[in-house]
Amino acid sequence: MPNQIEFMQWVKIFASENEAKLRLAGKSLQLLILHDLRICLVQTGDSFYAVQDSCTHNGESLSKGHLNHMGEVICPWHNYCFNLQTGNEIQNRSKDLKTYPVKVDKTGFYIGI
């Protein structure tokens, strides 16, 4: 069977990092729907992360959750906790989240899908 090569598509979300910070001001978690994918965009300090929006335990929207003091996203239903960089569920109770790369350059703010 031939190797399948996956190509990443960079989707422009905001015109700049400044716009991203302004649009997310007061919200640390934001639901985005990109090409039928539900993605939770997270701002912690000056960092941005993008992970699948549905909790791998029971499917609840993580964008309805919150961040803990460690900068991990907490599911609003059963408090499953996920590392934003790796997608790992901290206590290994469910599958890890899919993570999406974020890049910012002079042309805008992008998420790779």
Side-chain angles (χ1 to χ4, degrees), residues 47-78:
S47 299
F48 294 91
Y49 301 95
V51 297
Q52 76 182 59
D53 187 57
S54 61
C55 177
T56 55
H57 169 245
N58 210 14
E60 177 60 29
S61 174
L62 293 175
S63 58
K64 295 178 185 176
H66 65 277
L67 295 177
N68 66 12
H69 69 283
M70 303 275 295
E72 299 158 336
V73 66
I74 309 298
C75 178
W77 270 0
H78 300 110

Side-chain angles (χ1 to χ4, degrees), residues 1-20:
M1 182 165 111
N3 290 339
Q4 292 183 341
I5 298 174
E6 290 187 40
F7 294 96
M8 185 175 311
Q9 176 184 3
W10 289 100
V11 179
K12 188 173 186 175
I13 307 301
F14 303 112
S16 66
E17 183 175 8
N18 253 3
E19 181 186 354

Side-chain angles (χ1 to χ4, degrees), residues 20-71:
K21 288 179 180 179
L22 287 172
R23 299 276 294 278
L24 293 171
K27 300 181 231 171
S28 51
L29 306 170
Q30 178 72 47
L31 172 64
L32 300 174
I33 299 177
L34 304 175
H35 301 275
D36 295 327
L37 294 172
R38 294 176 60 89
I39 296 174
C40 180
L41 178 61
V42 181
Q43 180 182 2
T44 62
D46 288 332
S47 299
F48 294 91
Y49 301 95
V51 297
Q52 76 182 59
D53 187 57
S54 61
C55 177
T56 55
H57 169 245
N58 210 14
E60 177 60 29
S61 174
L62 293 175
S63 58
K64 295 178 185 176
H66 65 277
L67 295 177
N68 66 12
H69 69 283
M70 303 275 295

Side-chain angles (χ1 to χ4, degrees), residues 64-110:
K64 295 178 185 176
H66 65 277
L67 295 177
N68 66 12
H69 69 283
M70 303 275 295
E72 299 158 336
V73 66
I74 309 298
C75 178
W77 270 0
H78 300 110
N79 295 317
Y80 278 56
C81 180
F82 297 91
N83 178 294
L84 292 169
Q85 291 178 325
T86 64
N88 293 346
E89 198 282 315
I90 301 305
Q91 296 180 10
N92 296 313
R93 298 175 292 176
S94 71
K95 289 185 190 178
D96 297 340
L97 296 176
K98 180 171 175 70
T99 61
Y100 301 91
V102 174
K103 78 174 181 178
V104 179
D105 62 25
K106 64 183 179 177
T107 65
F109 181 102
Y110 299 85

